[in-house]
Amino acid sequence: MEKLLIAGGKPLSGTVTISGAKNSAVALIPAAILAESTVILDNLPDLSDVAIYTELLEELNATVERKDDQMIIDPSALRSVHMPNGNVKKLRASYYLMGALLGRFGEAVIGLPGGCNFEPRPIDQHIKGFEALGARVSNEAGAIHIRATELRGAKIYLDVVSVGATINIMLAASRAKGVTIIENAAKEPEIIDVATLLNSMGAKIIGVGTETIRIEGVNEMHGCRHSIIPDRIQAGTYMIAAAATRGDVLVDNVIPKHLEAISAKLLEMGVHIEEQDEAIRVIGRPEYEPVDVRALVYPGFATDIQSPMCSLLTQSRGTSILTDYVYSSRFKYVPELTRMGANIKLEGRSAIVEGGPLYAADVRATDLRAGAALVVAALTVTSGGITEISGVEYIDRGYDRLVENLSRMGAEIWRK
Ligand code: EPZ
């Protein structure tokens, strides 16, 4: 298995251009199969999760063509195919095929999703939504079977604010008869991105970005062209890496509004932040203040960025507290940071982080963002040595051209 090797201690400097968002792409690609004609997605990130989704659409008899950062999906010959096993198990977001196939064919059989298993991640709210729309849902030998003779709009209150459930219900409800209202909906920018695509395909969705979404079902949806929003989690990771290495980096092709929670926290630590129209410049300082960070649903500080943030907190002078209110135990990376010399105590859903230097070590990424935390940690090491990170396949799921981007900014990083 490949490893990432990092000789830290080099301040990052230069510009990094952020690609399209992974968590949008993995919802937009299945959304496209609700159309009867060609959908073109621009600003597509080059990630292993996107490659797996390409194969999934091909299994459904869609024609998929990729040219640089563009994906052309022709779903006109799409077939309803049962997928109890195989590629669906390789990524979590395969659950979006449930909503999309249900909307298109009135049935879906999809194996329970795989992906980053940093803790149990139930899909009960997705299922509650499908049932409210009139589908029968059963779990047969680890595959979810969903069938509806007719999908009918309904009022659905989500017990937990869930990105996946909000999107999955929007997908199915777009082709239901009548009006669906989702209450207590999630507000993440990726949800707005999916609704923008669906509306361009002929759906009638309003209220995205608020907690109440109204979807008026339509009989037919058509192709369109859509540009994927920039990846705010990748952008946040580079902002953190710039600060952690005391560098000077322009994080380009971003929507600064999507990064407000992270910019505010970095400012509070003493990092210099300059916001431009579509870029953020981050200039590190020799010393940082400790801060308290609470990972929350959007527009709060993203849970997906709390792991790399933890690595930055080790660089502050004093004690910081990092609490994740979205996932209660997303801290599998902490023992790995401890191997690098970090002083972190776990208490319930919080990590208590004492500032201090990190050292090179052999560590393992246990999930995507754990990998990002280890990369940031390794970049801060000034005492020499090489950090070897295994589990690179997780990192490749969500960071487009990571080695190239960091190398261009002066990092000593390579694959072996
Ligand atoms: C999305 O996962 C993202 N994945 C995750 O990104 C991200 O961590 C998460 O949202 C939270 O922002 C994709 O977009 C593909 P949720 P999702 O449903 O939709 C609980 C990354 O690193 N819940 O919003 O699966 C759940 O356990 C990844 O890029 C239920 O209880 O997350 C969690 O505590 C990993 N029942 C909370 O809600 C449900 O039916 C939020 O989860 C659904 C969720």
Side-chain angles (χ1 to χ4, degrees):
M1 278 302 214
E2 250 188 349
K3 287 187 176 182
L4 269 186
L5 274 64
I6 298 176
K10 311 276 179 310
L12 296 183
S13 141
T15 298
V16 59
T17 303
I18 302 302
S19 69
K22 164 184 98 76
N23 287 344
S24 270
V26 295
L28 295 167
I29 296 169
I33 67 171
L34 284 163
E36 316 279 344
S37 49
T38 300
V39 172
I40 301 176
L41 298 175
D42 293 310
N43 203 28
L44 186 82
D46 187 11
L47 301 170
S48 56
D49 274 10
V50 168
I52 297 169
Y53 240 122
T54 307
E55 289 175 24
L56 282 168
L57 289 206
E58 284 167 349
E59 285 173 41
L60 292 165
N61 209 37
T63 308
V64 185
E65 209 186 314
R66 277 183 73 176
K67 285 188 205 152
D68 303 322
D69 68 347
Q70 188 179 71
M71 181 179 265
I72 303 165
I73 303 167
D74 177 359
S76 50
L78 202 77
R79 276 198 312 256
S80 173
V81 176
H82 293 184
M83 297 171 149
N85 288 304
N87 276 327
V88 285
K89 304 231 163 182
K90 293 191 190 154
L91 81 169
R92 172 126 187 112
S94 57
Y95 55 38
Y96 290 132
L97 286 174
M98 297 179 190
L101 288 170
L102 181 63
R104 179 82 195 259
F105 296 114
E107 69 154 9
V109 175
I110 303 292
L112 276 169
C116 282
N117 283 321
F118 41 79
E119 72 169 52
R121 296 169 70 193
I123 56 163
D124 56 298
Q125 298 302 304
H126 305 230
I127 290 170
K128 170 176 155 172
F130 299 145
E131 286 177 337
L133 294 173
R136 276 168 290 113
V137 184
S138 58
N139 180 346
E140 293 169 30
I144 303 294
H145 291 238
I146 311 170
R147 276 192 193 87
T149 21
E150 184 178 68
L151 287 178
R152 287 198 164 271
K155 189 161 181 173
I156 300 160
Y157 180 89
L158 295 180
D159 303 331
V160 215
V161 180
S162 159
V163 176
T166 303
I167 292 178
N168 234 340
I169 296 168
M170 278 193 332
L171 294 175
S174 293
R175 298 287 293 260
K177 271 215 168 77
V179 173
T180 297
I181 308 277
I182 309 176
E183 296 282 10
N184 202 26
K187 300 178 193 145
E188 270 67 4
E190 294 74 21
I191 296 170
I192 303 179
D193 206 22
V194 175
T196 305
L197 173 81
L198 292 172
N199 282 339
S200 304
M201 287 162 55
K204 293 183 178 165
I205 305 175
I206 56 170
V208 272
T210 77
E211 60 206 25
T212 306
I213 301 180
R214 183 184 192 277
I215 307 138
E216 192 181 329
V218 294
N219 283 334
E220 218 181 288
M221 292 172 79
H222 49 76
C224 68
R225 185 163 181 176
H226 176 87
S227 184
I228 302 175
I229 58 167
D231 194 310
R232 63 196 167 98
I233 308 301
Q234 268 193 52
T237 305
Y238 286 112
M239 289 169 72
I240 287 170
T245 59
R246 278 80 179 174
D248 179 349
V249 169
L250 186 74
V251 183
D252 199 11
N253 186 38
V254 298
I255 299 173
K257 177 92 190 142
H258 293 172
L259 294 160
E260 265 176 357
I262 164 88
S263 294
K265 217 22 99 175
L266 294 185
L267 271 172
E268 202 180 315
M269 292 182 74
V271 180
H272 182 83
I273 301 278
E274 273 172 35
E275 243 179 57
Q276 304 176 5
D277 286 347
E278 292 181 358
I280 296 183
R281 184 171 171 196
V282 180
I283 304 173
R285 293 262 167 81
E287 295 204 319
Y288 295 125
E289 295 302 320
V291 289
D292 290 345
V293 179
R294 291 154 213 236
L296 295 163
V297 294
Y298 190 82
F301 193 97
T303 169
D304 295 344
I305 210 81
Q306 63 92 336
S307 337
M309 188 66 185
C310 188
S311 299
L312 174 60
L313 294 179
T314 67
Q315 302 301 298
S316 69
R317 278 185 314 179
T319 311
S320 301
I321 302 179
L322 173 67
T323 307
D324 195 327
Y325 289 101
V326 180
Y327 293 105
S328 59
S329 55
R330 197 176 188 176
F331 292 114
K332 282 194 179 159
Y333 62 87
V334 166
E336 302 301 307
L337 288 184
T338 307
R339 276 182 215 282
M340 298 181 71
N343 183 354
I344 305 172
K345 247 191 356 225
L346 288 176
E347 275 181 22
R349 55 200 316 156
S350 298
I352 295 141
V353 188
E354 290 295 336
L358 299 178
Y359 303 94
D362 288 1
V363 287
R364 173 159 191 80
T366 49
D367 61 69
L368 165 58
R369 307 304 170 189
L374 298 176
V375 170
V376 171
L379 291 170
T380 70
V381 173
T382 51
S383 50
I386 292 172
T387 298
E388 292 202 9
I389 306 175
S390 57
V392 183
E393 61 282 6
Y394 286 112
I395 302 176
D396 289 341
R397 302 179 58 167
Y399 290 90
D400 191 332
R401 301 180 182 93
L402 179 77
V403 170
E404 293 87 323
N405 286 339
L406 288 173
S407 302
R408 215 176 308 117
M409 292 189 286
E412 270 191 61
I413 176 170
W414 64 102
R415 286 173 187 263
K416 188 180 82 174

